């Protein structure tokens, strides 16, 4: 009778082991074995981090093994089990690996196929085609779309985190680490005493040091000392938390009637404003997207105001970016003066605070939540619904959507406003070109982002080339076509302003599409997320809320009024604890290029992964060399600090 050696690997996560009975069934081209209990006498099977082997004998020749079925039956109480993989050594001496890399949480049958990636049109066995169809049918019932907020991308149909499919929920240690981080923040930052002091204003700017000094780093400390400087203000639009707003200005907007006479004192080249525009030295940050949003009345004791400002920047003769004019609304007139660096110090300072407060809102709700978290969730849900586990693109993308749905379910209601928007361009090089900032000096976000984009695209190109031999292969891949259609038609609801394709016709289109998915989930999120403590810990630099409306006249502002505008004790502390938590890497963080779960078994892909890691390492080295000796070091797109997925 045929004899097989079965190897079972249990994960090393908290509580990964199980005391349950594990039963195995082998399905081959010539037959199916009976259910076999994997058990050794006087041995604790399936412990955390262990690899166990079993000799099993079947009653007949099964032929080529296609599937392995697992059933977990409780021993005493139901406990979960994380299975990494099951491997077989056949009677002929062949080694077959069946990747799992998932939690098995109940007594339902789990069916695994061998680890060989396969496009749907290349399935040769009727058994495998049937299995593939049933797998996708089951996943589409499990992963359903839901419209949570009109105008926003759809999310997963789960009203609470607990309703998520268990296989995409946080692992125990990540869940506890995230909760403890916020608690530790309130303790480490020494802000417990202020947490409930809402409606209580700080008496002076220096008072903010009471919640700042306990935990600081070189970046946040430098910011505290230099935040009022126009040079520092301009630098943040290039390399701060939200470096995606600034754009080249070739013509002064009618709604922002800045004249040469207003800004002549700020210009350094003996050129008129019109000539500086033509020379490409003028840039603009426009927060029109916030126009018309009413004050937030969720707190009956404190109305919180928003503005929709515009800020004009000048690239000076030293290639530094400086603000030269600010208007705090989209409607010019006597009630909306244009503030200038030559104005009263307090007027100019408050105007810059208003710009940074608006930038904070756009950063959190749009650049961060919408354009990384929610968009990555759309990609993830569509992937789960439309791509079989055997599909090479599923194997490619899975590490880059890990825990994204879970973190979004946790944070769903915390940052969303009632206004919905979607940026048309997630392609990094195109977004840079669209804003006209290809040549803007000292724009490290752009420089480092381009390097990472190129490396990711080369890696994706290598993987796509292994499985797709021609454009026709892409066109005939029903699953990949269903995936991209689901993203656009379901996830994005066919929004008029959505430029995602509904189909892909060429390998190059597929490569760019997948590069967008991976770059958005990894590099773009890292650039937007992990600098939050650096740039938001000094509260006056980027106020999370403003408690007074924007000024409508010049010369009326003093420091007392500014303090009444700024966030109160309680809100300052909540934001400080939050941005500290969001800026921390998680325990056992997986950074870009790290793939410990070996979903791919093919050697060419593993070679491509190794090349990917080497190229990312070279980018990290070049960024470190560039940063050496700088006061403000731009590190957010250093590959060794870019997590694989949106998971915080």
């Amino acid at each position: 009778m045929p004899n097989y050696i079965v190897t079972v690997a249990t994960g090393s996560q908290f509580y990964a082991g199980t005391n349950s009975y594990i039963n195995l069934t082998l399905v081959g081209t010539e037959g199916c074995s009976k259910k076999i209990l994997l058990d050794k006498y006087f041995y604790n099977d399936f412990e955390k981090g262990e690899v166990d082997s079993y000799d099993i004998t079947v009653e007949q020749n099964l032929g080529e093994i296609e599937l392995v079925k697992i059933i977990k039956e409780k021993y005493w109480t139901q406990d979960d089990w994380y299975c990494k993989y099951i491997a077989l050594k056949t009677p002929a001496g062949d080694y077959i690996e069946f990747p799992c890399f998932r939690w098995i949480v109940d007594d339902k049958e789990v069916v695994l196929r061998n680890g060989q990636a396969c496009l749907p049109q290349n399935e040769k066995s009727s058994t495998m085609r049937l299995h593939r169809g049933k797998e996708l049918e089951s996943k589409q019932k499990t992963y359903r779309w839901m419209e949570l907020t009109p105008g926003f991308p759809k999310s997963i149909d789960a009203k609470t985190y607990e309703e998520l499919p268990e296989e995409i929920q946080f692992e125990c240690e990540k869940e506890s680490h995230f909760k403890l981080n916020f608690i530790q923040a309130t303790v480490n930052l020494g802000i417990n005493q202020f947490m409930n002091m809402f409606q209580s204003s700080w008496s002076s700017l220096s008072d903010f040091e009471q919640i700042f000094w306990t935990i600081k780093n070189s970046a946040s400390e430098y910011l505290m000392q230099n935040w009022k400087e126009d040079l520092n203000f301009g630098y943040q639009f290039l390399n701060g938390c939200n470096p995606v707003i600034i754009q080249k200005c070739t013509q002064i907007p009618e709604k922002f009637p800045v004249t040469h006479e207003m800004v002549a004192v700020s210009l350094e080249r003996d050129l008129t404003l019109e000539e500086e525009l033509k020379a490409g030295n003028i840039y603009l940050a426009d927060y029109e997207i916030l126009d018309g949003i009413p004050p937030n009345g969720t707190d009956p004791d404190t109305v919180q105001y928003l503005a929709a400002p515009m800020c004009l920047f000048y690239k000076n003769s030293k290639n530094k970016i400086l603000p030269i004019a600010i208007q705090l609304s989209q409607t010019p007139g006597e009630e909306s003066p244009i503030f200038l660096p030559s104005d009263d110090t307090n007027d100019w300072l408050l105007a810059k605070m208003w710009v940074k407060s608006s930038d904070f809102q756009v950063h959190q709700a749009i650049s961060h939540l919408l354009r990384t978290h929610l968009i990555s969730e759309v990609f993830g849900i569509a992937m789960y619904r439309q791509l079989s586990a055997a599909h090479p693109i599923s194997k490619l993308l899975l590490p880059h959507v890990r825990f994204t749905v879970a973190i979004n379910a946790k944070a769903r209601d915390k940052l969303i406003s009632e206004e919905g928007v979607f940026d048309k361009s997630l392609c990094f090089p195109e977004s840079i070109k669209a804003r006209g900032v290809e040549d803007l000096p000292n724009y490290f976000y752009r420089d480092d982002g381009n390097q990472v984009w190129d490396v990711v695209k080369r890696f994706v190109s290598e993987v796509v080339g292994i499985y797709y031999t021609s454009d026709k292969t892409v066109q005939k891949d029903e699953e990949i076509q269903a995936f991209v259609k689901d993203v656009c038609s379901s996830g994005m609801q066919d929004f008029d302003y959505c430029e995602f394709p509904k189909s892909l016709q060429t390998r190059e289109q597929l490569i760019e599409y997948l590069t967008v998915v991976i770059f958005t989930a990894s590099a773009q999120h890292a650039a937007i997320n992990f600098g939050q403590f650096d740039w938001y810990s000094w509260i006056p630099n980027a106020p999370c809320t403003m408690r007074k409306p924007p000024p409508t006249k010049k010369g009326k502002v003093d420091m007392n009024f500014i303090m009444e505008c700024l966030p109160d004790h309680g809100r300052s502390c909540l934001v400080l604890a939050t941005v500290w938590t969001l800026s921390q890497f998680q325990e056992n963080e997986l950074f870009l290029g790290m793939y410990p779960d070996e979903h791919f078994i093919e050697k060419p892909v593993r070679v491509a992964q190794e090349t990917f890691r080497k190229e990312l390492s070279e980018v990290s080295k070049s960024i470190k060399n560039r940063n050496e000796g700088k006061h403000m070091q731009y590190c957010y797109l250093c590959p060794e600090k870019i997590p694989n997925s949106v998971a915080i």
Side-chain angles (χ1 to χ4, degrees):
M1 291 187 290
N3 180 265
Y4 293 84
I5 298 176
V6 178
T7 303
V8 182
T10 298
S12 56
Q13 299 92 327
F14 288 166
Y15 311 114
T18 182
N19 291 318
S20 297
Y21 298 111
I22 303 298
N23 296 282
L24 185 80
T25 302
L26 303 180
V27 179
T29 55
E30 301 296 328
C32 180
S33 75
K34 293 181 179 179
K35 187 168 69 174
I36 302 165
L37 175 65
L38 299 180
D39 184 47
K40 296 178 184 177
Y41 292 118
F42 308 111
Y43 179 76
N44 206 349
D45 306 275
F46 316 117
E47 288 294 287
K48 169 187 170 183
E50 294 297 318
V51 178
D52 302 314
S53 294
Y54 304 87
D55 288 328
I56 65 171
T57 301
V58 298
E59 296 179 351
Q60 66 183 90
N61 176 28
L62 302 178
E64 183 180 339
I65 302 301
E66 296 182 308
L67 302 172
V68 168
K69 297 181 179 180
I70 308 170
I71 295 181
K72 180 174 69 68
E73 297 175 345
K74 69 178 181 180
Y75 168 68
W76 183 252
T77 58
Q78 190 69 266
D79 61 350
D80 300 341
W81 174 46
Y82 189 89
C83 177
K84 292 177 66 177
Y85 63 84
I86 292 177
L88 289 182
K89 185 177 181 181
T90 70
D94 297 326
Y95 180 84
I96 310 172
E97 193 168 310
F98 297 81
C100 185
F101 299 110
R102 59 181 286 191
W103 289 93
I104 298 175
V105 298
D106 50 31
D107 57 2
K108 294 179 181 177
E109 182 180 78
V110 174
V111 182
L112 305 177
R113 61 177 291 162
N114 72 63
Q116 192 78 32
C118 182
L119 297 176
Q121 62 265 41
N122 294 338
E123 292 284 14
K124 297 177 181 178
S125 161
S126 59
T127 300
M128 302 307 285
R129 288 195 295 270
L130 181 62
H131 164 70
R132 195 163 185 146
K134 287 183 176 179
E135 176 199 355
L136 290 175
E137 183 180 344
S138 174
K139 289 165 76 173
Q140 287 163 17
K141 290 178 180 177
T142 301
Y143 296 91
R144 304 175 305 277
W145 293 107
M146 176 180 70
E147 182 182 53
L148 188 69
T149 304
F152 267 68
K154 284 187 177 180
S155 59
I156 195 166
D157 186 4
K159 294 180 181 177
T160 65
Y161 171 79
E162 288 70 25
E163 292 181 9
L164 291 177
E166 292 199 37
E167 65 185 83
I168 62 168
Q169 291 186 18
F170 286 131
E171 293 167 351
C172 297
E173 62 262 47
K174 186 171 180 70
E175 173 98 16
S176 59
H177 184 75
F178 187 75
K179 290 178 179 177
L180 285 173
N181 258 352
F182 188 86
I183 297 171
Q184 289 172 352
T186 62
V187 175
N188 293 342
L189 295 167
I191 58 178
N192 278 325
Q193 60 181 314
F194 301 112
M195 286 292 285
N196 296 312
M197 295 174 63
F198 294 97
Q199 293 83 49
S200 174
S201 298
W202 303 91
S203 59
S204 67
L205 291 174
S206 60
D207 268 6
F208 284 100
E209 293 182 32
Q210 296 180 59
I211 60 169
F212 177 81
W213 69 272
T214 308
I215 290 183
K216 59 189 177 183
N217 56 36
S218 58
S220 60
E221 189 170 13
Y222 183 85
L223 178 67
M224 182 194 73
Q225 297 168 353
N226 298 279
W227 69 283
K228 291 182 182 180
E229 295 180 5
D230 288 352
L231 278 174
N232 191 287
F233 182 87
Y235 177 88
Q236 293 179 60
F237 285 83
L238 304 184
N239 302 307
C241 267
N242 198 27
V244 298
I245 299 298
I246 192 168
Q247 58 184 306
K248 181 168 285 187
C249 181
T250 57
Q251 183 176 358
I252 299 296
E254 290 185 9
K255 62 182 182 179
F256 191 16
V258 179
T259 65
H260 172 74
E261 289 71 27
M262 291 179 181
V263 298
V265 68
S266 298
L267 307 182
E268 299 180 353
R269 296 182 177 89
D270 293 326
L271 300 176
T272 65
L273 177 59
E274 184 64 29
E275 290 169 336
E276 294 281 15
L277 285 163
K278 290 179 179 177
N281 296 324
I282 305 297
Y283 294 83
L284 177 69
D286 187 350
Y287 297 90
E288 182 179 13
I289 197 168
L290 298 177
D291 192 31
I293 299 179
N296 184 342
T298 55
D299 183 341
D301 297 315
T302 306
V303 178
Q304 301 170 71
Y305 292 90
L306 283 175
M310 291 172 283
C311 182
L312 204 65
F313 293 91
Y314 175 58
K315 182 181 72 174
N316 69 10
S317 57
K318 296 181 180 179
N319 283 330
K320 304 294 184 181
I321 298 297
L322 295 163
I324 58 172
I326 294 172
Q327 182 176 291
L328 297 180
S329 80
Q330 296 288 308
T331 306
E334 290 186 7
E335 298 296 304
S336 184
I338 294 175
F339 294 93
L340 306 168
S342 55
D343 289 340
D344 177 81
T345 301
N346 288 329
D347 281 346
W348 182 238
L349 180 63
L350 183 58
K352 290 192 292 182
M353 286 179 169
W354 265 108
V355 172
K356 287 306 303 295
S357 180
S358 299
D359 189 72
F360 180 97
Q361 307 302 330
V362 169
H363 167 253
Q364 296 293 8
I366 300 171
S367 304
H368 185 200
L369 178 66
L370 176 60
R371 292 178 183 166
T372 62
H373 279 256
L374 299 187
I375 294 304
S376 291
E377 180 174 357
V378 168
F379 291 138
I381 296 171
M383 184 206 74
Y384 288 122
R385 285 169 49 83
Q386 304 297 347
L387 299 182
S388 162
H391 200 292
I393 303 308
S394 174
K395 294 172 180 282
L396 176 68
L397 296 185
L398 195 58
H400 302 286
V401 297
R402 183 174 180 257
F403 299 140
T404 297
V405 179
I407 192 63
N408 286 358
K410 286 284 187 183
R412 187 78 67 194
D413 298 323
K414 298 190 184 302
L415 294 175
I416 291 183
S417 69
E418 292 183 357
E419 298 295 313
V421 298
F422 176 65
D423 184 28
K424 291 183 178 181
S425 178
L426 290 176
C427 176
F428 189 82
E430 287 185 11
S431 69
I432 294 295
K433 185 177 180 180
R435 291 188 287 117
V437 290
E438 305 100 309
D439 302 319
L440 189 54
N442 303 310
Y443 197 8
F444 306 130
Y445 162 74
R446 174 204 59 214
D447 299 340
D448 299 353
N450 277 331
Q451 288 192 80
V452 176
W453 172 274
D454 289 344
V455 173
V456 171
K457 189 171 183 179
R458 282 195 294 273
F459 169 57
V460 170
S461 181
E462 283 291 321
V463 175
V464 167
I466 292 168
Y467 298 99
Y468 294 88
T469 56
S470 67
D471 293 343
K472 281 189 177 180
T473 317
V474 176
Q475 296 162 17
K476 290 181 179 180
D477 185 344
E478 294 178 354
E479 289 182 16
I480 206 70
Q481 299 299 339
F483 165 64
V484 297
K485 184 176 181 182
D486 211 17
V487 167
C488 184
S489 297
S490 298
M492 298 307 302
Q493 305 184 65
D494 278 331
F495 291 144
D496 291 339
Y497 43 81
C498 171
E499 293 189 350
F500 280 114
K502 291 184 180 179
S503 66
L504 300 174
Q505 300 303 312
T506 68
R507 289 195 299 177
E508 186 56 38
Q509 289 175 353
L510 176 59
I511 290 165
E512 181 151 302
Y513 192 99
L514 298 176
T515 304
V516 165
V517 176
I518 294 173
F519 186 89
T520 300
S522 57
Q524 187 61 26
H525 178 255
I528 295 298
N529 180 73
F530 287 102
Q532 293 191 72
F533 187 77
D534 293 346
W535 299 106
Y536 294 158
S537 57
W538 181 246
I539 302 296
N541 178 63
C544 59
T545 185
M546 298 293 267
R547 295 182 295 146
K548 296 286 185 182
T552 58
K553 301 289 183 184
K554 293 186 180 184
K556 302 292 185 182
V557 172
D558 58 17
M559 190 52 66
N560 288 333
F561 183 82
I562 289 177
M563 299 313 300
E564 291 174 2
C565 289
L566 291 176
D568 56 32
H569 287 84
R571 285 184 181 82
S572 299
C573 293
L574 282 173
V575 165
L576 189 58
T578 300
V579 299
W580 188 86
T581 302
L582 292 175
S583 300
Q584 306 306 302
F585 295 123
Q586 301 296 291
E587 288 185 4
N588 303 316
E589 190 79 75
L590 297 178
F591 295 98
L592 192 58
M594 295 172 62
Y595 302 117
D597 293 352
E598 296 182 340
H599 295 282
F600 284 107
I601 66 170
E602 293 88 342
K603 186 176 179 180
V605 181
R606 293 185 176 180
V607 170
Q609 289 174 335
E610 184 59 32
T611 301
F612 184 38
R613 285 187 282 270
K614 288 179 180 178
E615 291 189 5
L616 290 171
S617 178
E618 289 302 313
V619 174
S620 292
K621 289 178 184 176
S622 71
I623 291 173
K624 289 178 181 178
N625 290 337
R626 191 267 322 281
N627 284 338
E628 206 168 313
K630 292 184 182 296
H631 285 298
M632 301 298 291
Q633 298 187 353
Y634 188 79
C635 304
Y636 312 125
L637 283 172
C638 186
E640 63 186 35
K641 294 186 176 183
I642 299 175
N644 261 335
S645 64
V646 177
I648 184 67

